[in-house]
Amino acid sequence: MTIFIPTPLRPYAAGQASVEVKAATIADALASLTGSHPELRKHLYTEEGKLRAFVNLYLNDEDIRYLPAKEATSVSATDTLSIIPSIAGGC
Amino acid sequence: MSSLRLSRSIYDAMRAHGEQTYPHECCGALLGRFVPAEAACNEFGGWIVEANVRAGNTRTDSAHNRYQIAPIELVKIEREARSRGLDIAGFYHSHPDHPAQWSPTDFEEAHWLGCCYVITAVANGKATVTNSFFLAGLREEEKRFEQQTIELTGPGTELPGG
Ligand SMILES: [Zn+2]
């Protein structure tokens, strides 16, 4: 499957905008991504190993938080995973 | 100081968006290409913005002083950027009746390191000052906003007074 890397994280993924991984589930895909680009880990996860609160993960057009199996959801080669830091603010 | 380059039409479009949503905050994304220092003829390099995309403000509960872009909208904006061979260069929003400076909320909620956050002050429905802040730092814990110069490319590059 293809994982899309957002602009801020590309320096930690060898400058790539997308990374191809072979994976059976979303969790597999993330493990494969951080396995080949270990620097990404601290940008995606807290020290306790939880996904940072401002990092959104979308399997195609679905927020993985709302998928019944969440990160255990199975994926196919044509699926895409988007890593999307949140955008908000105010005045 | 680093700079953000964009055309007069994109600059005007962002400001018009803020006037149209007044007294609510507008928000949107900027698509462009990052130019390394040498090509940008300065020591920083910087973004050249080639398109802006309007987004909806999902903070309908407090739209006069908060904005948020739905992540699914960002997924689609990123797809649009890819199809044009561009990257997400940054984001813009407006400050209705508030200065064009980043707020503590803007800072806390800013996570796109290496991208630009453009803020337009809209006073009584008229866009006044527009500023750009580059989110510098290599990780979330070290992030900081650095003000940038906005360079308007193409015809009519004079910035309105503020
Ligand atoms: Zn703001």
Side-chain angles (χ1 to χ4, degrees):
Chain A
M1 76 182 309
T2 307
I3 304 179
F4 292 117
I5 312 294
T7 324
L9 297 184
R10 290 184 196 162
Y12 312 104
Q16 301 172 93
S18 65
V19 174
E20 289 294 327
V21 297
K22 280 207 168 68
T25 64
I26 295 169
D28 265 2
L30 290 167
S32 169
L33 176 70
T34 55
S36 44
H37 303 286
E39 280 246 73
L40 277 175
R41 205 169 283 140
K42 66 172 185 279
H43 296 281
L44 294 174
Y45 300 97
T46 62
E47 282 179 15
E48 294 76 39
K50 284 188 67 176
L51 191 67
R52 287 180 184 257
F54 59 81
V55 176
N56 303 286
L57 295 175
Y58 273 72
L59 178 65
N60 306 314
D61 282 353
E62 301 289 334
D63 187 334
I64 74 158
R65 278 178 288 234
Y66 302 118
L67 293 174
K70 300 194 165 53
E71 292 197 10
T73 305
S74 47
V75 296
S76 71
T78 55
D79 283 330
T80 61
L81 186 67
S82 296
I83 301 172
I84 298 283
S86 64
I87 280 293
C91 65
Chain B
M1 199 185 277
S2 65
S3 64
L4 175 66
R5 296 188 194 179
L6 42 80
S7 72
R8 158 68 68 178
S9 64
I10 292 171
Y11 181 81
D12 288 345
M14 284 190 294
R15 291 164 57 84
H17 192 191
E19 292 180 345
Q20 285 159 21
T21 60
Y22 181 88
H24 294 163
E25 295 198 12
C26 73
C27 49
L30 300 171
L31 312 184
R33 304 170 200 277
F34 192 82
V35 178
E38 243 165 74
C41 300
N42 64 40
E43 57 185 299
F44 302 101
W47 286 103
I48 297 181
V49 172
E50 297 192 10
N52 71 301
V53 186
R54 289 183 177 211
N57 182 358
T58 62
R59 287 298 303 271
T60 47
D61 58 314
S62 191
H64 66 289
N65 66 356
R66 290 288 182 272
Y67 80 96
Q68 182 177 44
I69 303 178
I72 185 61
E73 205 168 351
L74 289 168
V75 170
K76 290 173 179 166
I77 289 170
E78 206 177 50
R79 200 172 288 154
E80 172 73 24
R82 263 197 307 277
S83 75
R84 292 166 176 256
L86 301 173
D87 294 318
I88 291 183
F91 304 92
Y92 70 89
H93 72 283
S94 62
H95 279 183
D97 298 315
H98 207 82
Q101 292 296 323
W102 55 269
S103 68
T105 310
D106 285 330
F107 182 72
E108 270 167 46
E109 306 264 18
H111 306 295
W112 286 68
L113 301 171
C115 291
C116 306
Y117 285 76
V118 177
I119 300 175
T120 296
V122 183
N124 294 315
K126 283 298 289 176
T128 59
V129 181
T130 297
N131 285 325
S132 180
F133 303 93
F134 183 77
L135 189 65
L138 292 179
R139 53 187 301 177
E140 179 71 15
E141 290 75 15
E142 298 167 355
K143 69 181 180 183
R144 61 190 183 276
F145 272 134
E146 293 175 353
Q147 189 160 357
Q148 303 185 284
T149 19
I150 294 179
E151 284 179 37
L152 296 186
T153 55
T157 55
E158 191 181 3
L159 286 163

